[in-house]
Amino acid sequence: MFARRGVILLVVIICVVALPGAAALGWYSYTKDPTFRPLGVTKADRDKQDEGRRADIIAHVRWDGITEAQSSDTFRQSLIQAFDIKNVDLHAIVTDAPNQGTSVTYEVGASRIGPFKKARAVKGVNAAIAAFYMLAARPSAPTSD
């Protein structure tokens, strides 16, 4: 009697733990929406789903290679990583600007934020993300039929 009760309790516990994951996996198999794949949403999956979508924010980096010790690619990657931490996509465009100093200008929708000098580019990250969230929260214009 006690062994049978223990087996039933064990089956109930396994079902309670496994059922949500199994349901999510079944829904993922049906819809192919990577947000429903349990414990498996990766950035590559999100990018595959949003292939035709443009980046959320564009950073225009004017790079002075003469005065900078680090490479422009290293700086570009650090900018992308700063936005990835906040779950916002960034597309960085680097152009050469010798003897003009390094600066970063962020483009969010129709807004331009900056230019910021390289040392103050972090201030622009927070401002660009705030502008992006304001733009995303704005209701879309009604369409006329």
Side-chain angles (χ1 to χ4, degrees):
M1 177 92 173
F2 182 71
R4 183 179 167 139
R5 180 181 280 170
V7 169
I8 291 173
L9 182 62
L10 182 62
V11 169
V12 168
I13 290 172
I14 290 172
C15 286
V16 166
V17 171
L19 191 60
L25 185 59
W27 189 252
Y28 164 71
S29 298
Y30 179 71
T31 64
K32 300 297 184 211
D33 183 1
T35 58
F36 286 106
R37 193 169 78 193
L39 303 177
V41 177
T42 63
K43 186 171 184 200
D45 289 331
R46 281 191 299 133
D47 291 345
K48 219 184 290 181
Q49 184 183 19
D50 300 334
E51 262 177 12
R53 197 173 65 98
R54 191 182 121 150
D56 297 332
I57 299 173
I58 299 172
H60 297 279
V61 180
R62 294 176 51 92
W63 189 257
D64 185 359
I66 295 172
T67 60
E68 296 295 338
Q70 92 185 106
S71 71
S72 63
D73 191 48
T74 305
F75 182 68
R76 185 180 66 80
Q77 287 295 72
S78 65
L79 276 178
I80 291 171
Q81 185 179 14
F83 281 88
D84 274 347
I85 290 170
K86 303 280 189 169
N87 291 326
V88 176
D89 290 332
L90 174 76
H91 178 67
I93 300 170
V94 179
T95 56
D96 289 328
N99 294 323
Q100 295 180 7
T102 299
S103 65
V104 181
T105 304
Y106 301 100
E107 183 180 323
V108 183
S111 302
R112 289 187 169 273
I113 302 167
F116 294 95
K117 293 188 186 241
K118 180 185 169 198
R120 297 183 44 85
V122 174
K123 300 275 186 191
V125 169
N126 293 330
I129 290 172
F132 168 71
Y133 285 131
M134 282 190 269
L135 186 66
R138 183 175 53 181
S140 60
T143 58
S144 60
D145 290 328

